[in-house]
Each structure stands twice: as structure tokens, then as C-alpha cells.
Amino acid sequence: MEHHTMCTPVKLYLVMALQLVAALTESDDSKPRGLCKTAGKCVCHFDNLYKIDLNPLSKGEDPTLSDTGPQGKNYIYSPCRDFTTALCKNATAVCQSNVTWGHNCGTVADSSFVTIASQNLSLQYNNGDKAENGLARQSRVLLICDENATEASFTAFGDYFETLHYQFTLVSKFCCPVPYQSSPTFLSLSVGSLLIILFFSLLFVYFVVGVLYKKVRSGATGKEMIPNYGFWSTLPELVKDGVLFIIQPCNCRKSKREYEPI
């Protein structure tokens, strides 16, 4: 009695197909993917239909947040709506003030989302008041997601090394990515999920059309109505070979003949 151990091309194809399906279904679209690109005032979009929208923070009569930074300077911040004060007379998103003066440190109209290496997403406000050296003030607010935060928290760190680039953090549940509310469900599926749905849809059409064709054109009955019945009848054995190939290492060598002792 002979036993043959062979590494067939069919097994290799099955292994590659299984690996491809695993790679495609591994994609996780439950989290935002890619950079968040500015899509409007206080709104940015990720590549997979997630977004960050800070506009709810600017609702109400007084949408501002405030904090005292280094050297006792006061900072007032409104994420999505420019405002004015007695000391900051020009419309601003970030007002730096002391007892007798105030500066515009960037406006909502000149804001954009930026991602800095090793940091979270930030919202940068440009085109603030110019200093004596001609440089315009700008502010960068680091966005920190806290889904359990009931109120927004704003912290001022001032301008590092007197560069007129002011640094802040904003902690809020509105800094967390959320799916598009108006997006169709199927558009939020991963590429792997869409390919699997397409595969089984085409497989269904293949069988239905094939059965009807053989029934009407050839008058086939029973299992003869199944298109390419010979292939499908051997498919379970091919799948079995593929599974065994994965479980048991396959040495691509010439067949070894083993004989039973007489």
C-alpha cells in the first residue's frame, strides 16, 4: 500500500486565499483612520467617515473658556466663535490679556486642524495681532478626547520661549471622533467586508443563473442543474487538503513510497 505526501498547487492557492481573507477582514473601522482633514469651521474628517466637530462647544450666550497661564496672564478661548472684550477689541478666538492690555492670538476664520508627530490632533488659530518684530501671534490647542467629561477643560501654557506661538490643551467629549450621522451604513464597512459581501452576492447570482440556464437550455434535472458540478463536488476535499496543509507542515519534496511489510 502506498502513501503519497505532495505539496500541490491547489493547497498553496487555498492557503493564499485564506491569508487574503484574513488580511482583509482584519481591518478595524471602529476607530478613525488617517489624518483628520479640515472640512469647515471646527470640523475635520477622517478617511473612514469619522469626524470631530467642536461646534457644540460654542453654543450658548457665553461660549468662552478661560485660564490663567504663566506670569499671571489671562487667556480666554472660544473654539468656534470669534469674540471681543474690553481689552481684545479685534475679533479673536484666543484673547491674551493683563490688567491694561489685550492681544488677539488667532482667529476662527484662520483656523485649521494639524497633526504634530508624537502628539494628538491640534486646532491651530493664525493671523493674530502682530508684535513689534512683525510676527503675527498664533495659538495651537491640543485636543484631548474624554468621553466621560461633562464639561470642557481649558489649560493655558503661554508662549514658549517668547515665540508668540501660544500652547493650550482642550479636554472634552467633543474632541472624540464620532461617525457621520448622515452616512449610509454600508459606506462605513471596511474594504474586507465589502469584498466578502460582493463575493457571496456574485456567487449567488452565479448559481441562480447557472441552474436556470441548464434547466431551460439543457433540460437538466437534480444535481446536473448545478453549474460546474464536477468542481463543486470536489471542493470539500480541496478545502480539507488546505486545512491539513496549514495544520501539518508540507515538505515540497518528491513522493516517498512506503511499503507495508509482508
Side-chain angles (χ1 to χ4, degrees):
M1 181 176 175
E2 296 183 358
H3 299 276
H4 298 277
T5 303
M6 300 183 64
C7 192
T8 64
V10 173
K11 293 180 182 180
L12 293 176
Y13 294 147
L14 285 172
V15 171
M16 288 188 292
L18 290 172
Q19 290 176 340
L20 177 61
V21 171
L24 291 173
T25 55
E26 209 173 53
S27 174
D28 182 10
D29 268 10
S30 63
K31 297 180 180 180
R33 186 176 63 242
L35 299 177
C36 201
K37 302 172 184 177
T38 303
K41 184 180 69 174
C42 282
V43 180
C44 69
H45 292 171
F46 290 94
D47 293 341
N48 59 336
L49 298 179
Y50 273 76
K51 68 176 181 179
I52 290 178
D53 185 357
L54 300 178
N55 281 291
L57 292 173
S58 290
K59 293 181 179 179
E61 295 182 2
D62 184 11
T64 59
L65 304 166
S66 61
D67 188 38
T68 300
Q71 301 176 348
K73 296 176 182 178
N74 299 316
Y75 294 88
I76 304 175
Y77 173 51
S78 174
C80 306
R81 189 197 306 174
D82 287 331
F83 63 94
T84 59
T85 68
L87 296 174
C88 288
K89 300 183 183 301
N90 296 326
T92 180
V94 182
C95 172
Q96 179 200 44
S97 64
N98 209 326
V99 178
T100 58
W101 52 261
H103 294 303
N104 165 16
C105 299
T107 66
V108 173
D110 296 283
S111 63
S112 61
F113 288 85
V114 295
T115 302
I116 308 299
S118 76
Q119 289 188 350
N120 291 340
L121 185 69
S122 295
L123 185 53
Q124 183 167 304
Y125 301 86
N126 300 314
N127 201 27
D129 291 342
K130 292 185 178 180
E132 294 180 357
N133 59 7
L135 295 178
R137 291 174 170 82
Q138 68 177 36
S139 299
R140 180 172 293 163
V141 182
L142 183 65
L143 306 180
I144 300 176
C145 167
D146 185 352
E147 295 179 347
N148 299 318
T150 56
E151 295 184 357
S153 174
F154 173 68
T155 304
F157 297 96
D159 64 329
Y160 289 120
F161 309 110
E162 298 183 354
T163 56
L164 302 180
H165 293 179
Y166 300 89
Q167 307 292 325
F168 309 91
T169 59
L170 175 65
V171 181
S172 171
K173 63 181 179 181
F174 297 110
C175 296
C176 302
V178 294
Y180 287 26
Q181 295 298 323
S182 59
S183 299
T185 303
F186 75 92
L187 288 179
S188 61
L189 295 174
S190 66
V191 175
S193 300
L194 291 174
L195 288 177
I196 290 175
I197 292 174
L198 178 62
F199 169 77
F200 282 105
S201 299
L202 292 176
L203 188 64
F204 175 77
V205 173
Y206 162 79
F207 273 108
V208 171
V209 173
V211 168
L212 292 176
Y213 176 83
K214 297 195 74 174
K215 175 68 175 177
V216 175
R217 190 66 179 267
S218 305
T221 58
K223 63 184 181 181
E224 295 178 356
M225 296 170 60
I226 300 175
N228 297 311
Y229 174 75
F231 167 77
W232 295 112
S233 63
T234 60
L235 183 61
E237 187 66 25
L238 296 176
V239 173
K240 176 185 175 183
D241 287 344
V243 173
L244 291 176
F245 175 72
I246 296 173
I247 297 175
Q248 301 174 355
C250 177
N251 297 321
C252 296
R253 299 176 301 183
K254 292 182 178 180
S255 301
K256 291 185 177 180
R257 298 174 181 268
E258 298 178 1
Y259 300 92
E260 293 182 351
I262 300 176

